[in-house]
Amino acid sequence: MASAPNNEIALKFRFFQVYKDGRVELFYPHNKKIPPSDDPVTGVQSKDVIISSEPQVSARIFLPKLKNPNQKLPLLLYIHGGGFSMKSASSPAYHKLCNQVAGEADFIVVSVEYGLFPTRPIPACYEDSWAVLQWVASHVNGNGHDPWLNDHADLGKVFIGGDSAGGNISHTLAFRVWSIGLPRGVKVVGVVMVHPFFGGTKDDEMWLYMCPTNSGLNDPRMNPDVEDLARLGCERMLIFVAEKDYLIVAAKNYYEKLRKSGWKGTVELVENEKEDHCFHLLNLDSDKAQEMRYKFVSFLKQDQFNLL
């Protein structure tokens, strides 16, 4: 006869609690998902692709309306937030955001579906996201698995972006671009972090619990040192912070360390005044959300503007 579960709480964090018997209970377990679609308003098409079956990794690709059948487009790899334990590339807000960015920037957007805690503890999120970036890069010679990327992706103009946990993951990917590398012809131009998570807050212990293989409070994925920041594999970075966000101090510390690191790229910090963490996802059509997205899209298209 099975013993009754021990309902005594051993640990409690922002997004979940752990019982004495080891069970983990997420406070926000239900992730609504919507299917890919063809948007009749923007002309953006989307579809889901399988990157790996073991472990299970996938992505949702957004292709904007083409001006001609041979058009080549820059590409944004987008990594959703959700405390490393929630949300999805197919969550309504993230689907709409990527659809909007694809249409407004005229970019292919590849939105990563990575493994979530507790089913797949950290570092699954980093490994899965890196696997998707490598999969994207495999299309550089036009002989990859996906026809949209083979025919229309300009992989000499790749950007990485994400919010909250996704902003944090974006940093690790940028470092791996330098330390591990990507195939010849693939270039990561820039990174966009929206209200990113980094160490130095009360959520440090939560991240450490979610990552059993962590190396402590100075784990470079949570708290990158100056030497790692100096080696980011991109040329430009844009960091958004929100005035009322408890993560703002950690994100500003990252910005200051990056500026002083000796990194050869350029970084810009934009503060969303009177706003809280990831406010834009609550209403993507609000004036403040549109203003933020305009800045995001302008950063992606900066090289094109410079050619005008």
Side-chain angles (χ1 to χ4, degrees):
M1 183 176 177
S3 59
N6 186 339
N7 289 324
E8 185 178 352
I9 297 171
L11 296 166
K12 191 170 185 177
F13 301 107
R14 182 180 299 274
F15 298 126
F16 61 91
Q17 59 191 14
V18 184
Y19 293 99
K20 285 282 189 179
D21 59 9
R23 287 180 297 121
V24 173
E25 180 185 14
L26 298 176
F27 297 143
Y28 313 101
H30 301 296
N31 289 331
K32 181 181 178 182
K33 298 182 179 182
I34 60 175
S37 60
D38 293 349
D39 189 325
V41 176
T42 64
V44 175
Q45 303 175 66
S46 59
K47 66 179 178 181
D48 292 336
V49 295
I50 302 298
I51 310 299
S52 166
S53 55
E54 187 55 46
Q56 189 171 10
V57 183
S58 63
R60 179 162 292 184
I61 306 180
F62 297 81
L63 179 71
K65 187 175 182 180
L66 299 171
K67 296 180 176 63
N68 66 72
N70 299 315
Q71 187 177 6
K72 292 287 188 177
L73 301 169
L75 184 142
L76 169 67
L77 184 86
Y78 194 83
I79 307 164
H80 71 80
F84 305 96
S85 59
M86 301 173 286
K87 304 301 181 181
S88 164
S90 57
S91 295
Y94 286 113
H95 176 92
K96 181 173 181 176
L97 173 64
C98 290
N99 184 309
Q100 290 175 326
V101 171
E104 293 169 10
D106 218 18
F107 263 57
I108 294 173
V109 178
V110 178
S111 184
V112 180
E113 185 79 346
Y114 57 85
L116 300 175
F117 175 89
T119 305
R120 296 187 58 223
I122 298 172
C125 55
Y126 301 105
E127 302 307 325
D128 293 355
S129 298
W130 178 245
V132 177
L133 180 56
Q134 290 179 305
W135 178 84
V136 167
S138 72
H139 295 78
V140 66
N141 294 318
N143 58 357
H145 291 286
D146 185 77
W148 283 3
L149 300 194
N150 284 334
D151 296 342
H152 302 296
D154 179 356
L155 296 184
K157 298 177 182 176
V158 175
F159 289 75
I160 301 170
D163 61 274
S164 195
N168 172 275
I169 297 167
S170 296
H171 158 79
T172 290
L173 295 196
F175 178 73
R176 289 189 182 187
V177 169
W178 175 87
S179 62
I180 299 174
L182 293 170
R184 183 182 297 273
V186 180
K187 181 179 181 180
V188 175
V189 178
V191 172
V192 185
M193 298 181 183
V194 179
H195 310 162
F197 164 83
F198 286 105
T201 75
K202 57 189 175 182
D203 284 340
D204 289 7
E205 293 300 324
M206 179 180 72
W207 187 94
L208 293 173
Y209 183 86
M210 299 168 86
C211 182
T213 58
N214 72 77
S215 56
L217 289 172
N218 289 321
D219 189 295
R221 295 162 295 188
M222 182 175 74
N223 190 17
D225 61 25
V226 172
E227 289 76 16
D228 285 355
L229 290 172
R231 301 178 179 123
L232 295 181
C234 59
E235 299 175 348
R236 299 193 280 117
M237 182 175 290
L238 174 63
I239 304 172
F240 289 96
V241 296
E243 182 180 5
K244 296 181 179 180
D245 185 2
Y246 74 101
L247 293 177
I248 187 172
V249 173
K252 284 188 171 181
N253 286 342
Y254 177 97
Y255 167 74
E256 292 298 337
K257 283 199 299 182
L258 179 59
R259 288 182 61 214
K260 297 172 183 177
S261 69
W263 178 57
K264 302 302 182 183
T266 59
V267 58
E268 180 180 1
L269 183 78
V270 175
E271 183 167 337
N272 304 125
E273 297 178 354
K274 300 179 181 179
E275 297 294 348
D276 211 332
H277 186 69
C278 290
F279 71 94
H280 61 296
L281 295 173
L282 300 177
N283 181 3
L284 289 163
D285 297 318
S286 70
D287 290 345
K288 285 286 190 73
Q290 291 186 61
E291 179 183 330
M292 182 180 183
R293 194 169 65 252
Y294 177 80
K295 179 64 177 177
F296 190 128
V297 168
S298 297
F299 176 82
L300 297 179
K301 296 173 69 72
Q302 180 176 314
D303 290 340
Q304 297 175 43
F305 292 151
N306 290 341
L307 293 175
L308 296 178

